[in-house]
Amino acid sequence: MSDKELRRYSRVVVDGDAQAPSRAMLRAVGFEEDDFKRPQIGIASTWSMVTPCNMHISGLADEAAAGANEGGGKGVIFNTISVSDGISMGTPGMRYSLVSREIIADSIEAVAGAEGFDGVVAIGGCDKNMPACVMAMARLNRPAVFVYGGTIRPGAKRRDIVSVFEAVGARSGGSISELELLEVEQTAIPGPGACGGMYTANTMASAIEAMGMSLANSSAQEAVSSDKLADCRRAGAAVVNLIRKDIKPLDILTKNAFENAITVVIALGGSTNAVLHLLAIAREADVDLSLDDFTRIGAKTPVLADLRPSGKYLMSELIEVGGIQPLMKRLLDKGLLHGDCMTVTGKTLAENLANVADYPDGQDVVREFSNPIKPNSHLAVLYGNLAPGGAVAKITGKEGLLFEGKARVFHSEEESLQAILDGKINAGDVIVIRYEGPKGGPGMREMLSPTGAIMGRGLGSDVALITDGRFSGGSHGFVVGHVTPEAAAGGPIALVEDGDSIRIDAQNMEISLGIDADEMAARRAKWKRPPSPVTRGALAKYRSSVSSASEGAVTIPSAWDE
């Protein structure tokens, strides 16, 4: 490639007499004469001090920029936002969490497009900024590598953030004291890094690596480690290599790559949020991905990793035995992955995995195919008269595969949580939390506070919860989210009344409300959408353009009239 071909975008910004003002501005931020002849690599940093997930990323961005410089490019660091799910969970602020995914993707696209970057390294460390980074990469379609900020180290007694949420329920049930709750609070989060189980951050990091958009093992490194620093440095150099080879995100983000990601998420027992985020990334990549693809792939893919929240081990313990690369090698050898998919190394997935060693003897973090935790997917896509557009359940089998009970209906997460903490939820109840969907929230809040409280009160096997909202990757139990159409759109979940019979059948993939069609029609005729206090700002703009959860809850611009 010629010098100009390497600088496909930046040359428009810096070449020629007319661009002297641009060069003058860039000299002030550190460019030297030779830098104008190098491809510019935008380093999208999600650093902030609003969450431990991202508090260390500034240093990682420095490493990525250094790697880009060493590889023959010019690294330019810029920031985007992040919000903390763990801090905003259970509060009105959680409405901004999923909205932030769109804001982050928009901001990375805007900066990279405006500045004329030839390539991008994006470093994400928390749930929504990770898929947002890849969504922006797909839109831009310039050579790019995603870097995961890394997982947090375990707290005292192998605690993590979910330990704190469940301790709140235990305290309300009287099984621990106020001092014991305080001790859990003070010791669960020891420093930087994303939440430590196979929750959404570690799930999405693994999915992005499986898709080929991260370097090997980027998903399986602790935030505070020499491995993570080296990963960032390699990523900077890798983008320059991708520019030279003219390999772009849409060369990598094929339908088969998404199938690889789904397979790995299932094998790891990953978060239901992966369904939402992979659908969203696929839309940006113009790949035809649907809920039914998760069902099809899930029928032949076992759950093999015994990871939290429903399992025993933390991400750090998976890292100790080798991370996800040996698991991917096993899946490839079983014919469950597409080995011919291109990756950001410039090689295919099969080439990357060719020399990967298996897990050490004696480990039980990842099981053999002959002894799976579940022989097929834990991510169950359910349909029925309660969710004609689909719903997503996370059922490992430990909770059972069938639940039938009586509805206890709540119009918000706060109402349901108070009822749980007050001891007003009993065995056999199906908690229904509605008007928490993408439009109804707006923002589709996660229900970790209610599910954590249920577990903490010892009701995990006796109570089900369904919602048009969604769940944190830390939620477990008999839980069903993403119910579509949502209540705010007049979906059947809006018509449920206290005492109605609800049946959740994970074997037959059905979720049904025990009333007949005439009663459903009578209730629909009387239904009116409740007013929303949201009238302006980011939440209102999101509500006006967001799609359903079954389509990834992405914002869809109105049609452009020619």
Side-chain angles (χ1 to χ4, degrees):
M1 258 191 186
S2 69
D3 168 68
K4 283 193 174 182
E5 288 174 319
L6 290 175
R7 299 186 298 113
R8 182 176 299 173
Y9 301 98
S10 63
R11 74 183 190 222
V12 177
V13 176
V14 301
D15 283 7
D17 292 347
Q19 295 310 120
S22 303
R23 294 193 297 273
M25 296 283 281
L26 289 169
R27 291 179 197 279
V29 296
F31 271 61
E32 297 179 358
E33 200 62 42
D34 285 347
D35 292 332
F36 296 117
K37 300 174 185 177
R38 295 167 173 251
Q40 291 185 30
I41 311 301
I43 312 295
S45 168
T46 57
W47 170 85
S48 72
M49 290 301 290
V50 302
T51 171
C53 306
N54 296 63
M55 62 187 287
H56 62 303
I57 285 178
S58 179
L60 300 186
D62 290 338
E63 290 294 318
N69 295 343
E70 290 168 0
K74 173 59 178 176
V76 182
I77 298 171
F78 66 98
N79 268 84
T80 184
I81 66 162
S82 185
V83 301
S84 173
D85 291 2
I87 294 171
S88 63
M89 194 74 69
T91 76
M94 186 62 190
R95 292 188 172 98
Y96 287 94
S97 171
L98 190 57
V99 177
S100 76
R101 186 187 72 184
E102 310 305 304
I103 296 171
I104 295 162
D106 289 350
S107 68
I108 293 173
E109 176 196 353
V111 175
E115 297 296 313
F117 295 139
D118 301 295
V120 176
V121 175
I123 309 171
C126 197
D127 297 7
K128 308 311 162 300
N129 55 57
M130 299 168 64
C133 289
V134 185
M135 289 165 69
M137 290 171 175
R139 291 179 194 174
L140 290 161
N141 199 31
R142 302 177 189 187
V145 174
F146 175 78
V147 177
Y148 178 39
T151 190
I152 196 170
R153 290 176 174 170
K157 302 178 183 177
R158 299 178 64 251
R159 290 175 178 142
D160 62 11
I161 187 61
V162 176
S163 307
V164 189
F165 280 97
E166 294 185 359
V168 171
R171 173 67 187 129
S172 74
S175 59
I176 66 172
S177 69
E178 186 175 348
L179 282 176
E180 287 173 312
L181 173 59
L182 179 62
E183 194 259 336
V184 174
E185 173 191 329
Q186 290 174 334
T187 60
I189 312 296
C195 301
M198 191 47 65
Y199 312 144
T200 304
N202 283 318
T203 296
M204 287 311 301
S206 301
I208 293 167
E209 182 176 328
M211 277 195 290
M213 288 300 297
S214 294
L215 298 176
N217 279 324
S218 185
S219 70
Q221 295 161 343
E222 289 184 334
V224 181
S225 67
S226 58
D227 287 341
K228 182 49 64 184
L229 294 174
D231 180 41
C232 293
R233 211 169 186 102
R234 287 195 302 270
V239 172
V240 182
N241 182 53
L242 291 171
I243 293 171
R244 292 193 178 105
K245 292 190 172 186
D246 195 27
I247 297 172
K248 298 182 288 293
L250 297 188
D251 299 320
I252 296 171
L253 294 172
T254 63
K255 179 68 177 281
N256 282 350
F258 281 94
E259 293 190 356
N260 286 345
I262 293 169
T263 299
V264 169
V265 166
I266 293 168
L268 290 168
S271 167
T272 54
N273 276 320
V275 178
L276 198 71
H277 296 323
L278 289 173
L279 289 171
I281 297 168
R283 183 181 181 278
E284 301 294 356
D286 200 24
V287 168
D288 182 18
L289 192 72
S290 72
L291 289 177
D292 293 340
D293 289 309
F294 289 83
T295 299
R296 173 177 57 82
I297 295 166
K300 60 183 180 181
T301 306
V303 179
L304 298 173
D306 193 11
L307 297 169
R308 291 187 187 180
S310 58
K312 292 190 295 187
Y313 294 105
L314 289 159
M315 189 67 179
S316 288
E317 292 163 318
L318 176 61
I319 291 169
E320 287 176 4
V321 299
I324 75 165
Q325 289 279 298
L327 172 62
M328 290 173 64
K329 181 69 160 57
R330 288 183 178 185
L331 292 167
L332 179 67
D333 291 345
K334 279 283 185 179
L336 295 175
L337 293 181
H338 302 285
D340 58 349
C341 289
M342 180 54 61
T343 74
V344 293
T345 65
K347 299 178 180 179
T348 66
L349 183 71
E351 289 172 327
N352 291 342
L353 294 173
N355 297 315
V356 171
D358 198 14
Y359 292 112
D361 292 339
Q363 67 81 33
D364 63 346
V365 181
V366 179
R367 294 191 186 180
E368 300 287 346
F369 283 94
S370 59
N371 181 34
I373 290 166
K374 191 171 186 285
N376 49 28
S377 181
H378 64 302
L379 299 176
V381 178
L382 311 178
Y383 293 95
N385 70 341
L386 190 50
V392 179
K394 182 179 182 180
I395 298 173
T396 64
K398 296 178 181 179
E399 313 84 355
L401 297 172
L402 177 69
F403 194 101
E404 190 164 7
K406 300 297 182 183
R408 291 291 308 280
V409 181
F410 301 94
H411 281 207
S412 72
E413 178 185 3
E414 287 88 349
E415 289 180 15
S416 69
L417 178 61
Q418 196 58 54
I420 297 164
L421 296 178
D422 289 345
K424 295 180 179 179
I425 299 299
N426 302 305
D429 286 344
V430 180
I431 300 168
V432 179
I433 307 175
R434 62 192 181 197
Y435 298 107
E436 292 285 7
K439 289 184 180 291
M444 203 178 181
R445 289 192 290 179
E446 293 179 344
M447 303 293 136
L448 180 54
S449 293
T451 59
I454 288 167
M455 288 294 172
R457 289 188 70 91
L459 291 169
S461 300
D462 304 314
V463 168
L465 189 155
I466 68 171
T467 180
D468 53 7
R470 60 198 174 92
F471 295 106
S472 161
S475 291
H476 57 122
F478 219 108
V479 296
V480 183
H482 308 202
V483 172
T484 307
E486 61 175 292
I493 191 172
L495 310 178
V496 181
E497 295 180 359
D498 280 340
D500 285 348
S501 176
I502 293 176
R503 179 182 174 88
I504 305 166
D505 185 346
Q507 271 192 310
N508 294 306
M509 301 297 193
E510 294 176 349
I511 180 167
S512 56
L513 179 63
I515 62 173
D516 61 29
D518 288 343
E519 175 64 18
M520 186 86 82
R523 292 184 188 182
R524 185 177 300 285
K526 295 186 291 183
W527 174 79
K528 291 183 179 179
R529 183 170 56 221
S532 171
V534 175
T535 59
R536 59 175 59 87
L539 293 178
K541 286 189 283 187
Y542 180 82
R543 180 177 58 203
S544 70
S545 60
V546 70
S547 69
S548 77
S550 293
E551 298 171 304
V554 293
T555 50
I556 300 174
S558 59
W560 176 263
D561 295 322
E562 295 294 342

